[in-house]
Amino acid sequence: MDDDPFVTLDQGGVGALIKLGLANGRKTRRDLKVGICGEHGGEPRSIAFCHDAGLDYVSCSPYRVPIARLAAAQAAVARPGG
C-alpha cells in the first residue's frame, strides 16, 4: 500500500518539484533560504528527504517538535552534508 500523501511527503512527485524549485531558485540566489512548513515538517521520512534535498529548515505543529528534532538529528548523523 502506498503512503498517505497527507501524512508523508510524496518524494517522487512533490519531492521532485521541491528539488526542481530549489535548484532553480538557488541558480538565481545562492543564499536563498528554503524550508517546508506543515505536518510534513514533523514526519521523520519527510524530514530525511528535506535534509537530503538541501532544504534549510522544517516547521511543524508544536506537538510534533520532539519527533521532528530527533528525525532531523538522525538525518544529519546518517547523511552529513546532505
Side-chain angles (χ1 to χ4, degrees):
M1 181 174 147
D2 291 334
D3 291 319
D4 182 345
F6 294 102
V7 176
T8 301
L9 188 71
D10 170 23
Q11 295 181 20
V14 175
L17 293 173
I18 289 171
K19 288 180 178 180
L20 179 65
L22 182 63
N24 287 335
R26 288 198 174 142
K27 280 183 194 175
T28 304
R29 186 172 177 184
R30 292 193 187 282
D31 64 342
L32 181 68
K33 299 294 181 197
V34 180
I36 190 169
C37 179
E39 294 310 299
H40 291 102
E43 196 278 320
R45 287 181 289 169
S46 299
I47 292 170
F49 168 81
C50 291
H51 176 77
D52 291 343
L55 273 67
D56 299 296
Y57 65 90
V58 297
S59 175
C60 62
S61 61
Y63 79 94
R64 287 183 173 248
V65 169
I67 293 170
R69 291 183 71 177
L70 177 61
Q74 289 172 334
V77 168
R79 297 173 285 278

